[in-house]
Structure formats: structure tokens, C-alpha cells
Amino acid sequence: MRFQDKVVMVTGAAAGIGRVTAERFAAEGARLAICDVDAETGRAAAAALGPEAFFQEVDIQSDAAVTAWTEAVMARFGRIDVLVNNAGITRDALLLRMKEADWDRVLAINLKGAFLCTRAVARHMVQQRSGRIVNVASVVGQIGNVGQANYVASKAGLIGLTKTAAREFAGRGVTVNAVAPGFIETRMTAVLSEKVKEAFLAQIPLGRPGRPEDVAAAIAFLASDDAAYLTGQVLHVSGGMYM
């Protein structure tokens, strides 16, 4: 029960890695505050987490929405111990065919959203002189990927944000780290063609796709006291896809 009575906020927690991560924290005693733009699925996820879990529909590209959610969490629980910036989307296309709107949308949610949540939550963590922030980046943020210029740029930017925030907040007892998942079996990857899936698997030394539980375990480690002396780090959960 590493997170007994700790208050943990998770974005994009209605499904996939976010939901499994919230379940992992709840199983270890945390009090959960989760958000998503999918209100129906988000409420169901919160109900499954237990009576104390708090869900709010939040568009994380909106500063006002993020601030309102953060203040609602503070009003309900009185503190914030962990923030997991998990929310993210893809809008894939080759760079020469990519629409400006799709570039803007992906950067707004994947990178700006993480910035807004980090800024809002860190204000409270800095005051209480403790906290853990874990950002969900991606292996492609460091190796690139054809047809994902917007997604790759957002995840590479998130890694940069992680390192800068880590330096800025370290003196106040707040650590900031990232996980970089590889090919994980989620709703996002389920839509890929078999040919694309086979190409990804060929790059994984362990020979299998990852599971959301693999990523959740890494996130929980970085948020725990076991990782108290780690900050500004990127933990790859990719089966050896990136070494």
C-alpha cells in the first residue's frame, strides 16, 4: 500500500493506460481524481475505482478547465501528491499531407495540456514541498516515426518539459519524470493494420507488445518513495525497442 491516502490525479483516465494506471494506484491505497473528455466512460471508471474516486469532465487544452479541476480536487481532498499526465491523441498522416488543424490539435492536447496541468498542480505541490509528476511520453519521441510528425513532436516536447520542470521544482521536493511506452496494446494501437503491427513487433527484442499494466507499474514506481532520488528521467517501457 505505497500510496495509502495519497491523492493522485490522472488525466485521460477513462480507458487504456490511464484507466489501468488509476486502478493500480487505487489498489495501493490512493485516493483518485481522474479526468477525461469522455464523460460517460470516465464516470464508469471512477465508479469502479471506489466511492472516494472523483471524476470531472475536463478538456485539458483549456486553462480555465484545468484550473477548475485542480481547485475542485483541492477542495475535496485538501492536497495533491501525484499527477500523471497521460491524456493524448493521434492524428496520423505523412508530413506533406498533414493538415494544420491536426498538427494543432495533437500539440494542444498532448503537450499544452500537460503543461497546463503541470503548472496548475505544481503550484500546490511547491507550497506543500512534496509531490510527484509523471508524464506519459513515447518511444517515438526519441526515435521518430513515419506518419506521426505531430505526435512525435508532442512527445519529444513532453520529454523536454519533463527535464525543465524537474530542474525548476527539485528544490521544493517535487520530482518530475516520464515513462516512454513502446508498442502497447490499447484502443489507440488496435486500429493499426496488421502490417504496421508486424513492423512494430519486429523492432521489439522481447518479441511481444506491451500491456497497459506494464506502463502502469513503471508510473507507480516513479510516483513512489522508491524513486525519491530520481528526477528528470525517462523510463522506457518498450520491450527493448529503444536502448
Side-chain angles (χ1 to χ4, degrees):
M1 303 296 282
R2 290 179 296 179
F3 302 101
Q4 186 67 48
D5 296 326
K6 299 281 189 179
V7 178
V8 179
M9 297 172 68
V10 184
T11 69
I17 291 172
R19 181 162 184 166
V20 173
T21 296
E23 291 169 351
R24 175 64 184 256
F25 278 110
E28 294 200 44
R31 294 183 289 174
L32 270 297
I34 65 175
C35 79
D36 205 288
V37 291
D38 185 341
E40 182 177 353
T41 308
R43 291 191 185 96
L49 290 171
E52 268 202 297
F54 171 60
F55 170 78
Q56 189 160 314
E57 182 181 356
V58 181
D59 181 356
I60 62 167
Q61 61 185 324
S62 164
D63 186 23
V66 168
T67 299
W69 179 45
T70 304
E71 295 308 317
V73 173
M74 286 296 297
R76 187 181 182 97
F77 297 112
R79 63 182 292 114
I80 299 167
D81 297 292
V82 179
L83 166 66
V84 180
N85 282 311
N86 165 75
I89 64 167
T90 57
R91 294 290 186 273
D92 296 348
L94 292 174
L95 193 148
L96 292 177
R97 299 175 182 172
M98 185 170 289
K99 297 176 182 177
E100 183 179 357
D102 288 338
W103 172 275
D104 291 344
R105 177 74 170 163
V106 169
L107 269 290
I109 292 175
N110 297 8
L111 185 54
K112 179 185 175 183
F115 156 70
L116 292 175
C117 290
T118 297
R119 186 177 64 176
V121 169
R123 287 170 175 155
H124 299 286
M125 289 182 173
V126 163
Q127 289 181 354
Q128 68 193 27
R129 302 189 75 85
S130 68
R132 300 278 189 268
I133 298 172
V134 184
N135 296 322
V136 180
S138 171
V139 65
V140 301
Q142 294 195 295
I143 66 174
N145 196 35
V146 174
Q148 289 195 308
N150 48 5
Y151 185 75
V152 170
S154 72
K155 295 303 185 178
L158 188 55
I159 290 171
L161 175 64
T162 298
K163 293 177 179 294
T164 297
R167 289 186 180 276
E168 292 189 3
F169 303 147
R172 296 300 182 95
V174 179
T175 66
V176 188
N177 293 288
V179 295
F183 183 62
I184 309 297
E185 290 181 323
T186 63
R187 184 171 57 186
M188 187 180 290
T189 58
V191 300
L192 299 174
S193 69
E194 288 304 313
K195 183 177 180 180
V196 171
K197 291 178 182 179
E198 289 172 5
F200 271 118
L201 287 173
Q203 301 177 59
I204 303 173
L206 285 181
R208 68 165 178 86
R211 300 180 299 271
E213 289 79 5
D214 296 320
V215 184
I219 292 171
F221 164 68
L222 290 174
S224 74
D225 289 341
D226 294 329
Y229 200 56
L230 294 178
T231 197
Q233 302 304 303
V234 181
L235 179 57
H236 287 267
V237 187
S238 63
M241 188 176 178
Y242 179 89
M243 295 186 184

